Amino acid sequence: GQSLEQPSEVTAVEGAIVQINCTYQTSGFYGLSWYQQHDGGAPTFLSYNALDGLEETGRFSSFLSRSDSYGYLLLQELQMKDSASYFCAVNRDYKLSFGAGTTVTVRA
Amino acid sequence: GAVVSQHPSWVICKSGTSVKIECRSLDFQATTMFWYRQFPKQSLMLMATSNEGSKATYEQGVEKDKFLINHASLTLSTLTVTSAHPEDSSFYICSARDLKGANTEAFFGQGTRLTVV
């Protein structure tokens, strides 16, 4: 089986930086993905790390350490529209297994 | 990115009836589609993997006779919730991946909110 752990909630103010950590235990690991989901909506892809290191996409960055079974998503220059749930997901071959999600609330 | 269309976006049905949810990949061929279930404030739980032209692969604990999956073409997979009960009320989401290329992104449908009364 597999397990993923991430914080359940994070609250921050506009303009701040938020880091969402994700630790995982799984077999057949191919990479770690991050998805954003607004209330009632579909998950949308944010980032994917197959190798150790940092991937940067605009205000969002993701990091992976395979040896530590650990990754994080960094949200910079937070905006109100970033209030959503963020899921890390382990890629096992062609399947995705999702963490429980982190609810990010951005305050003015 | 690629587009996955899911229909209907919401449905209310009576206990004991069946509901069919469609998932279409609009601009790429999806040999494999995935069906997830999500309860409020919870994670997406993979129910089954739908393979074009063959039987679906169900995750442990998912009743294959209750959640019928058909993947008749490279662009369409359907999930039928048979003899629905109130506990089946949930948000059902499909996703598709283009496994032929190096793209590892999964594209999700809009989701279907099922309410069984």
Side-chain angles (χ1 to χ4, degrees):
Chain A
Q2 63 285 328
S3 68
L4 296 94
E5 290 191 17
Q6 55 182 122
S8 58
E9 294 181 359
V10 172
T11 300
V13 297
E14 274 187 300
I17 298 174
V18 162
Q19 179 172 316
I20 303 171
N21 298 321
C22 176
T23 58
Y24 59 87
Q25 284 185 318
T26 186
S27 57
F29 178 82
Y30 279 69
L32 191 69
S33 299
W34 289 91
Y35 286 81
Q36 179 193 61
Q37 185 182 32
H38 286 96
D39 262 354
T44 56
F45 174 80
L46 292 178
S47 187
Y48 174 71
N49 295 73
L51 303 175
D52 286 359
L54 189 69
E55 293 283 341
E56 297 179 85
T57 310
R59 294 187 296 114
F60 296 170
S61 303
S62 60
F63 171 83
L64 175 66
S65 168
R66 294 175 71 113
S67 60
D68 294 324
S69 297
Y70 163 76
Y72 67 72
L73 178 70
L74 195 69
L75 315 179
Q76 302 181 76
E77 301 172 24
L78 272 181
Q79 301 176 8
M80 297 297 289
K81 67 178 181 179
D82 297 330
S83 292
S85 292
Y86 293 83
F87 295 90
C88 59
V90 165
N91 286 252
R92 298 180 300 125
D93 194 4
Y94 54 85
K95 291 185 182 181
L96 283 173
S97 297
F98 286 83
T102 299
T103 301
V104 173
T105 303
V106 182
R107 293 185 288 110
Chain B
V3 177
V4 176
S5 176
Q6 188 173 339
H7 177 82
S9 56
W10 62 270
V11 58
I12 302 173
C13 72
K14 291 184 177 180
S15 284
T17 61
S18 296
V19 173
K20 180 186 283 189
I21 303 169
E22 292 187 349
C23 181
R24 294 179 185 273
S25 59
L26 298 186
D27 52 2
F28 70 100
Q29 293 184 333
T31 54
T32 303
M33 291 185 176
F34 307 88
W35 287 96
Y36 294 85
R37 182 174 179 174
Q38 185 178 34
F39 291 106
K41 306 297 184 185
Q42 294 190 24
S43 185
L44 288 81
M45 300 302 298
L46 180 64
M47 299 174 65
T49 302
S50 169
N51 301 296
E52 186 266 336
S54 65
K55 291 183 179 180
T57 304
Y58 290 81
E59 296 298 303
Q60 192 172 7
V62 178
E63 299 176 60
K64 62 180 181 180
D65 294 330
K66 180 166 186 61
F67 299 100
L68 300 179
I69 291 173
N70 183 272
H71 195 150
S73 76
L74 287 171
T75 58
L76 174 64
S77 175
T78 61
L79 168 68
T80 301
V81 182
T82 62
S83 187
H85 291 283
E87 57 265 31
D88 298 325
S89 298
S90 188
F91 192 51
Y92 293 86
I93 313 174
C94 69
S95 80
R97 301 178 84 171
D98 181 2
L99 299 182
K100 293 191 295 295
N103 192 335
T104 57
E105 180 176 349
F107 301 97
F108 286 83
Q110 306 94 314
T112 298
R113 188 160 304 281
L114 170 64
T115 303
V116 185
V117 297

Short mmCIF file of all heavy atoms in Angstrom, two decimals, chain A residues 33 35 37 39-45 48 87 91-101 103, chain B residues 32 34 36 38 41-44 46 49 57 59 91 93 97 99 104-106 108-111 113:
data_model
loop_
_atom_site.label_atom_id
_atom_site.label_comp_id
_atom_site.label_asym_id
_atom_site.label_seq_id
_atom_site.Cartn_x
_atom_site.Cartn_y
_atom_site.Cartn_z
N SER A 33 3.32 14.51 -7.68
CA SER A 33 2.55 15.57 -8.36
C SER A 33 1.83 16.41 -7.33
O SER A 33 1.58 15.98 -6.20
CB SER A 33 1.51 14.95 -9.30
OG SER A 33 2.10 14.17 -10.30
N TYR A 35 -1.68 18.99 -7.07
CA TYR A 35 -2.91 19.43 -7.71
C TYR A 35 -3.61 20.44 -6.80
O TYR A 35 -3.55 20.36 -5.58
CB TYR A 35 -3.85 18.24 -7.97
CG TYR A 35 -3.39 17.38 -9.11
CD1 TYR A 35 -2.41 16.42 -8.94
CD2 TYR A 35 -3.95 17.54 -10.38
CE1 TYR A 35 -1.97 15.65 -9.99
CE2 TYR A 35 -3.52 16.77 -11.45
CZ TYR A 35 -2.53 15.83 -11.25
OH TYR A 35 -2.10 15.07 -12.31
N GLN A 37 -7.39 22.22 -6.00
CA GLN A 37 -8.83 22.02 -6.18
C GLN A 37 -9.59 23.10 -5.42
O GLN A 37 -9.49 23.19 -4.20
CB GLN A 37 -9.26 20.63 -5.71
CG GLN A 37 -10.72 20.31 -5.98
CD GLN A 37 -11.14 18.95 -5.47
OE1 GLN A 37 -10.63 18.48 -4.46
NE2 GLN A 37 -12.08 18.30 -6.15
N ASP A 39 -13.27 24.64 -4.19
CA ASP A 39 -14.50 24.02 -3.71
C ASP A 39 -15.44 23.68 -4.86
O ASP A 39 -15.80 24.55 -5.67
CB ASP A 39 -15.22 24.98 -2.75
CG ASP A 39 -14.94 24.64 -1.32
OD1 ASP A 39 -14.30 23.60 -1.08
OD2 ASP A 39 -15.36 25.40 -0.43
N GLY A 40 -15.85 22.41 -4.94
CA GLY A 40 -16.82 22.00 -5.95
C GLY A 40 -16.25 21.82 -7.34
O GLY A 40 -16.99 21.52 -8.27
N GLY A 41 -14.93 22.03 -7.47
CA GLY A 41 -14.34 21.96 -8.80
C GLY A 41 -13.47 20.74 -9.00
O GLY A 41 -13.31 19.92 -8.10
N ALA A 42 -12.94 20.62 -10.18
CA ALA A 42 -12.05 19.51 -10.50
C ALA A 42 -10.62 19.85 -10.11
O ALA A 42 -10.23 21.01 -10.11
CB ALA A 42 -12.13 19.22 -11.99
N PRO A 43 -9.83 18.86 -9.77
CA PRO A 43 -8.41 19.11 -9.51
C PRO A 43 -7.71 19.59 -10.77
O PRO A 43 -7.99 19.09 -11.87
CB PRO A 43 -7.87 17.75 -9.08
CG PRO A 43 -9.07 16.94 -8.73
CD PRO A 43 -10.18 17.45 -9.58
N THR A 44 -6.80 20.53 -10.61
CA THR A 44 -6.00 20.98 -11.74
C THR A 44 -4.53 20.79 -11.41
O THR A 44 -4.10 21.01 -10.28
CB THR A 44 -6.26 22.46 -12.09
OG1 THR A 44 -6.04 23.25 -10.92
CG2 THR A 44 -7.67 22.65 -12.57
N PHE A 45 -3.79 20.39 -12.40
CA PHE A 45 -2.38 20.06 -12.24
C PHE A 45 -1.55 21.31 -11.97
O PHE A 45 -1.72 22.34 -12.63
CB PHE A 45 -1.90 19.38 -13.53
CG PHE A 45 -0.42 19.11 -13.58
CD1 PHE A 45 0.12 18.01 -12.94
CD2 PHE A 45 0.42 19.94 -14.30
CE1 PHE A 45 1.47 17.75 -13.01
CE2 PHE A 45 1.77 19.69 -14.37
CZ PHE A 45 2.30 18.58 -13.73
N TYR A 48 5.00 18.65 -11.17
CA TYR A 48 5.41 17.25 -11.08
C TYR A 48 6.92 17.18 -10.91
O TYR A 48 7.66 17.87 -11.60
CB TYR A 48 5.00 16.50 -12.34
CG TYR A 48 5.50 15.08 -12.41
CD1 TYR A 48 4.97 14.10 -11.58
CD2 TYR A 48 6.51 14.71 -13.31
CE1 TYR A 48 5.42 12.79 -11.64
CE2 TYR A 48 6.96 13.40 -13.38
CZ TYR A 48 6.41 12.44 -12.56
OH TYR A 48 6.85 11.15 -12.61
N PHE A 87 -3.35 19.07 -3.08
CA PHE A 87 -3.11 17.65 -2.86
C PHE A 87 -1.76 17.26 -3.43
O PHE A 87 -1.44 17.61 -4.58
CB PHE A 87 -4.18 16.80 -3.56
CG PHE A 87 -5.57 16.97 -3.01
CD1 PHE A 87 -6.41 17.94 -3.52
CD2 PHE A 87 -6.03 16.16 -2.00
CE1 PHE A 87 -7.69 18.11 -3.03
CE2 PHE A 87 -7.32 16.31 -1.50
CZ PHE A 87 -8.14 17.28 -2.00
N ASN A 91 2.84 9.22 -7.98
CA ASN A 91 2.68 8.52 -9.26
C ASN A 91 3.28 7.13 -9.12
O ASN A 91 4.49 6.98 -8.89
CB ASN A 91 3.44 9.26 -10.37
CG ASN A 91 2.75 10.53 -10.81
OD1 ASN A 91 2.19 10.61 -11.87
ND2 ASN A 91 2.80 11.54 -9.95
N ARG A 92 2.42 6.12 -9.18
CA ARG A 92 2.90 4.74 -9.15
C ARG A 92 2.58 4.14 -10.51
O ARG A 92 1.45 3.83 -10.80
CB ARG A 92 2.21 3.95 -8.04
CG ARG A 92 2.46 4.45 -6.65
CD ARG A 92 1.74 3.60 -5.62
NE ARG A 92 0.31 3.59 -5.84
CZ ARG A 92 -0.41 2.49 -6.00
NH1 ARG A 92 0.18 1.31 -5.99
NH2 ARG A 92 -1.72 2.56 -6.17
N ASP A 93 3.57 4.01 -11.33
CA ASP A 93 3.36 3.59 -12.71
C ASP A 93 2.38 4.57 -13.35
O ASP A 93 2.68 5.73 -13.46
CB ASP A 93 2.85 2.16 -12.75
CG ASP A 93 2.95 1.58 -14.15
OD1 ASP A 93 3.47 2.27 -15.04
OD2 ASP A 93 2.51 0.45 -14.36
N TYR A 94 1.19 4.15 -13.70
CA TYR A 94 0.26 5.06 -14.33
C TYR A 94 -0.83 5.56 -13.39
O TYR A 94 -1.71 6.31 -13.79
CB TYR A 94 -0.39 4.37 -15.53
CG TYR A 94 -1.03 3.05 -15.18
CD1 TYR A 94 -2.32 3.01 -14.70
CD2 TYR A 94 -0.35 1.85 -15.32
CE1 TYR A 94 -2.93 1.82 -14.36
CE2 TYR A 94 -0.94 0.66 -14.98
CZ TYR A 94 -2.23 0.65 -14.50
OH TYR A 94 -2.80 -0.54 -14.15
N LYS A 95 -0.77 5.15 -12.13
CA LYS A 95 -1.82 5.54 -11.18
C LYS A 95 -1.36 6.70 -10.30
O LYS A 95 -0.18 6.86 -10.01
CB LYS A 95 -2.16 4.36 -10.26
CG LYS A 95 -2.86 3.21 -10.94
CD LYS A 95 -3.25 2.18 -9.89
CE LYS A 95 -3.92 0.98 -10.51
NZ LYS A 95 -4.32 0.00 -9.47
N LEU A 96 -2.35 7.47 -9.87
CA LEU A 96 -2.11 8.53 -8.91
C LEU A 96 -2.79 8.19 -7.60
O LEU A 96 -3.97 7.85 -7.58
CB LEU A 96 -2.68 9.86 -9.40
CG LEU A 96 -1.90 10.63 -10.47
CD1 LEU A 96 -2.73 11.83 -10.95
CD2 LEU A 96 -0.57 11.11 -9.94
N SER A 97 -2.06 8.29 -6.50
CA SER A 97 -2.65 8.12 -5.17
C SER A 97 -2.51 9.44 -4.43
O SER A 97 -1.39 9.95 -4.27
CB SER A 97 -1.94 7.01 -4.41
OG SER A 97 -2.10 5.76 -5.06
N PHE A 98 -3.61 9.97 -3.97
CA PHE A 98 -3.64 11.32 -3.43
C PHE A 98 -3.51 11.33 -1.91
O PHE A 98 -4.00 10.44 -1.21
CB PHE A 98 -4.95 12.01 -3.80
CG PHE A 98 -5.02 12.41 -5.24
CD1 PHE A 98 -5.39 11.50 -6.22
CD2 PHE A 98 -4.72 13.70 -5.62
CE1 PHE A 98 -5.45 11.88 -7.55
CE2 PHE A 98 -4.78 14.09 -6.94
CZ PHE A 98 -5.14 13.18 -7.92
N GLY A 99 -2.87 12.39 -1.41
CA GLY A 99 -2.89 12.67 0.02
C GLY A 99 -4.24 13.23 0.41
O GLY A 99 -5.12 13.44 -0.43
N ALA A 100 -4.39 13.51 1.70
CA ALA A 100 -5.68 13.96 2.22
C ALA A 100 -5.99 15.41 1.86
O ALA A 100 -7.13 15.85 1.97
CB ALA A 100 -5.73 13.78 3.73
N GLY A 101 -4.96 16.14 1.44
CA GLY A 101 -5.19 17.52 1.02
C GLY A 101 -4.92 18.52 2.12
O GLY A 101 -5.10 18.23 3.31
N THR A 103 -5.93 22.43 3.11
CA THR A 103 -6.77 23.58 2.81
C THR A 103 -6.01 24.86 3.11
O THR A 103 -5.61 25.08 4.25
CB THR A 103 -8.06 23.54 3.64
OG1 THR A 103 -8.77 22.34 3.35
CG2 THR A 103 -8.94 24.73 3.30
N THR B 32 -6.41 4.84 -21.16
CA THR B 32 -6.71 4.55 -19.75
C THR B 32 -7.37 5.76 -19.11
O THR B 32 -6.88 6.88 -19.24
CB THR B 32 -5.42 4.20 -18.98
OG1 THR B 32 -4.78 3.10 -19.61
CG2 THR B 32 -5.75 3.83 -17.54
N PHE B 34 -9.46 6.96 -15.34
CA PHE B 34 -9.54 6.63 -13.93
C PHE B 34 -10.80 7.23 -13.32
O PHE B 34 -11.17 8.36 -13.66
CB PHE B 34 -8.31 7.17 -13.18
CG PHE B 34 -7.00 6.75 -13.79
CD1 PHE B 34 -6.42 7.48 -14.80
CD2 PHE B 34 -6.37 5.59 -13.36
CE1 PHE B 34 -5.21 7.09 -15.38
CE2 PHE B 34 -5.17 5.19 -13.92
CZ PHE B 34 -4.60 5.93 -14.93
N TYR B 36 -12.59 8.36 -9.73
CA TYR B 36 -12.34 8.66 -8.33
C TYR B 36 -13.67 9.02 -7.65
O TYR B 36 -14.63 9.45 -8.29
CB TYR B 36 -11.40 9.86 -8.17
CG TYR B 36 -9.99 9.64 -8.66
CD1 TYR B 36 -9.65 9.81 -9.99
CD2 TYR B 36 -8.98 9.26 -7.77
CE1 TYR B 36 -8.35 9.61 -10.43
CE2 TYR B 36 -7.68 9.07 -8.20
CZ TYR B 36 -7.38 9.24 -9.53
OH TYR B 36 -6.09 9.05 -9.96
N GLN B 38 -14.94 11.28 -4.16
CA GLN B 38 -14.46 12.22 -3.16
C GLN B 38 -15.61 12.64 -2.26
O GLN B 38 -16.61 13.20 -2.73
CB GLN B 38 -13.85 13.45 -3.84
CG GLN B 38 -13.21 14.43 -2.87
CD GLN B 38 -12.58 15.62 -3.58
OE1 GLN B 38 -13.07 16.07 -4.61
NE2 GLN B 38 -11.49 16.13 -3.02
N LYS B 41 -14.57 17.47 1.90
CA LYS B 41 -13.36 17.77 2.67
C LYS B 41 -12.42 16.58 2.77
O LYS B 41 -11.58 16.54 3.67
CB LYS B 41 -13.73 18.24 4.09
CG LYS B 41 -14.70 19.41 4.14
CD LYS B 41 -14.10 20.64 3.51
CE LYS B 41 -15.05 21.82 3.66
NZ LYS B 41 -14.55 23.03 2.96
N GLN B 42 -12.55 15.64 1.87
CA GLN B 42 -11.66 14.48 1.91
C GLN B 42 -10.89 14.35 0.60
O GLN B 42 -11.08 15.12 -0.34
CB GLN B 42 -12.46 13.21 2.19
CG GLN B 42 -13.08 13.19 3.58
CD GLN B 42 -13.65 11.83 3.92
OE1 GLN B 42 -13.25 10.81 3.38
NE2 GLN B 42 -14.60 11.81 4.84
N SER B 43 -10.04 13.37 0.56
CA SER B 43 -9.18 13.17 -0.59
C SER B 43 -9.93 12.47 -1.72
O SER B 43 -11.04 12.00 -1.56
CB SER B 43 -7.97 12.34 -0.18
OG SER B 43 -7.07 12.23 -1.25
N LEU B 44 -9.26 12.42 -2.88
CA LEU B 44 -9.79 11.64 -3.99
C LEU B 44 -9.36 10.19 -3.81
O LEU B 44 -8.17 9.90 -3.68
CB LEU B 44 -9.23 12.14 -5.32
CG LEU B 44 -9.73 13.48 -5.84
CD1 LEU B 44 -9.01 14.63 -5.16
CD2 LEU B 44 -9.54 13.57 -7.34
N LEU B 46 -9.18 6.56 -5.46
CA LEU B 46 -9.27 5.86 -6.73
C LEU B 46 -10.20 4.66 -6.59
O LEU B 46 -10.02 3.84 -5.70
CB LEU B 46 -7.88 5.40 -7.17
CG LEU B 46 -7.81 4.64 -8.50
CD1 LEU B 46 -8.22 5.55 -9.67
CD2 LEU B 46 -6.39 4.11 -8.74
N THR B 49 -9.59 1.62 -12.52
CA THR B 49 -8.87 2.03 -13.73
C THR B 49 -9.61 1.43 -14.91
O THR B 49 -9.85 0.21 -14.95
CB THR B 49 -7.42 1.52 -13.68
OG1 THR B 49 -6.79 2.04 -12.52
CG2 THR B 49 -6.66 1.97 -14.91
N THR B 57 -10.13 -2.39 -13.88
CA THR B 57 -9.42 -2.90 -12.71
C THR B 57 -9.89 -2.11 -11.50
O THR B 57 -9.71 -0.89 -11.46
CB THR B 57 -7.90 -2.74 -12.87
OG1 THR B 57 -7.48 -3.37 -14.08
CG2 THR B 57 -7.18 -3.35 -11.69
N GLU B 59 -10.13 -1.06 -7.44
CA GLU B 59 -9.33 -1.00 -6.22
C GLU B 59 -10.00 -1.86 -5.14
O GLU B 59 -11.21 -2.15 -5.20
CB GLU B 59 -9.19 0.45 -5.75
CG GLU B 59 -8.43 1.33 -6.73
CD GLU B 59 -6.99 0.88 -6.94
OE1 GLU B 59 -6.23 0.78 -5.96
OE2 GLU B 59 -6.64 0.62 -8.11
N PHE B 91 -19.05 12.93 -4.73
CA PHE B 91 -18.53 13.63 -5.90
C PHE B 91 -17.67 12.62 -6.67
O PHE B 91 -16.70 12.09 -6.14
CB PHE B 91 -17.70 14.83 -5.44
CG PHE B 91 -17.33 15.82 -6.51
CD1 PHE B 91 -18.30 16.34 -7.35
CD2 PHE B 91 -16.02 16.25 -6.66
CE1 PHE B 91 -17.97 17.27 -8.33
CE2 PHE B 91 -15.68 17.17 -7.64
CZ PHE B 91 -16.65 17.69 -8.47
N ILE B 93 -15.31 11.78 -9.90
CA ILE B 93 -14.45 12.50 -10.85
C ILE B 93 -13.70 11.49 -11.71
O ILE B 93 -13.17 10.50 -11.20
CB ILE B 93 -13.41 13.38 -10.13
CG1 ILE B 93 -14.04 14.20 -9.02
CG2 ILE B 93 -12.69 14.29 -11.12
CD1 ILE B 93 -13.02 14.97 -8.20
N ARG B 97 -5.20 10.13 -18.84
CA ARG B 97 -3.80 10.45 -19.09
C ARG B 97 -3.43 9.92 -20.45
O ARG B 97 -3.89 8.85 -20.87
CB ARG B 97 -2.90 9.82 -18.04
CG ARG B 97 -3.19 10.25 -16.64
CD ARG B 97 -2.30 9.55 -15.62
NE ARG B 97 -1.02 10.24 -15.49
CZ ARG B 97 -0.13 9.93 -14.55
NH1 ARG B 97 -0.37 8.96 -13.71
NH2 ARG B 97 1.01 10.58 -14.47
N LEU B 99 -0.94 8.16 -22.05
CA LEU B 99 0.19 7.36 -21.59
C LEU B 99 1.21 7.09 -22.68
O LEU B 99 2.28 6.55 -22.41
CB LEU B 99 -0.32 6.02 -21.03
CG LEU B 99 -1.24 6.15 -19.82
CD1 LEU B 99 -1.64 4.77 -19.32
CD2 LEU B 99 -0.57 6.93 -18.70
N THR B 104 3.15 13.48 -17.99
CA THR B 104 2.69 12.76 -16.81
C THR B 104 1.48 13.44 -16.18
O THR B 104 1.02 13.01 -15.14
CB THR B 104 3.81 12.69 -15.77
OG1 THR B 104 4.22 14.02 -15.45
CG2 THR B 104 4.99 11.92 -16.31
N GLU B 105 0.98 14.47 -16.81
CA GLU B 105 -0.13 15.20 -16.23
C GLU B 105 -1.42 14.42 -16.42
O GLU B 105 -1.67 13.86 -17.48
CB GLU B 105 -0.25 16.57 -16.90
CG GLU B 105 -1.37 17.43 -16.39
CD GLU B 105 -1.37 18.80 -17.03
OE1 GLU B 105 -0.38 19.14 -17.72
OE2 GLU B 105 -2.35 19.54 -16.86
N ALA B 106 -2.22 14.39 -15.38
CA ALA B 106 -3.56 13.80 -15.46
C ALA B 106 -4.56 14.93 -15.64
O ALA B 106 -4.48 15.94 -14.95
CB ALA B 106 -3.88 12.99 -14.21
N PHE B 108 -8.47 16.13 -15.48
CA PHE B 108 -9.68 15.73 -14.78
C PHE B 108 -10.93 16.31 -15.42
O PHE B 108 -10.91 17.43 -15.95
CB PHE B 108 -9.60 16.19 -13.32
CG PHE B 108 -8.67 15.37 -12.48
CD1 PHE B 108 -7.32 15.63 -12.46
CD2 PHE B 108 -9.16 14.31 -11.72
CE1 PHE B 108 -6.45 14.85 -11.70
CE2 PHE B 108 -8.30 13.54 -10.96
CZ PHE B 108 -6.94 13.81 -10.95
N GLY B 109 -11.98 15.53 -15.35
CA GLY B 109 -13.28 16.04 -15.72
C GLY B 109 -13.79 16.99 -14.63
O GLY B 109 -13.18 17.13 -13.58
N GLN B 110 -14.92 17.60 -14.92
CA GLN B 110 -15.46 18.61 -14.00
C GLN B 110 -16.07 17.97 -12.74
O GLN B 110 -16.36 18.68 -11.78
CB GLN B 110 -16.54 19.45 -14.70
CG GLN B 110 -16.09 20.09 -16.01
CD GLN B 110 -16.44 19.24 -17.21
OE1 GLN B 110 -16.23 18.03 -17.24
NE2 GLN B 110 -16.98 19.87 -18.24
N GLY B 111 -16.26 16.66 -12.78
CA GLY B 111 -16.86 16.00 -11.63
C GLY B 111 -18.37 15.92 -11.74
O GLY B 111 -19.01 16.74 -12.40
N ARG B 113 -21.64 15.53 -9.15
CA ARG B 113 -22.13 15.44 -7.77
C ARG B 113 -23.41 14.62 -7.77
O ARG B 113 -24.42 15.04 -8.32
CB ARG B 113 -22.37 16.83 -7.19
CG ARG B 113 -22.70 16.80 -5.70
CD ARG B 113 -22.47 18.12 -5.01
NE ARG B 113 -21.13 18.64 -5.17
CZ ARG B 113 -20.07 18.22 -4.48
NH1 ARG B 113 -20.20 17.26 -3.59
NH2 ARG B 113 -18.88 18.76 -4.68
#
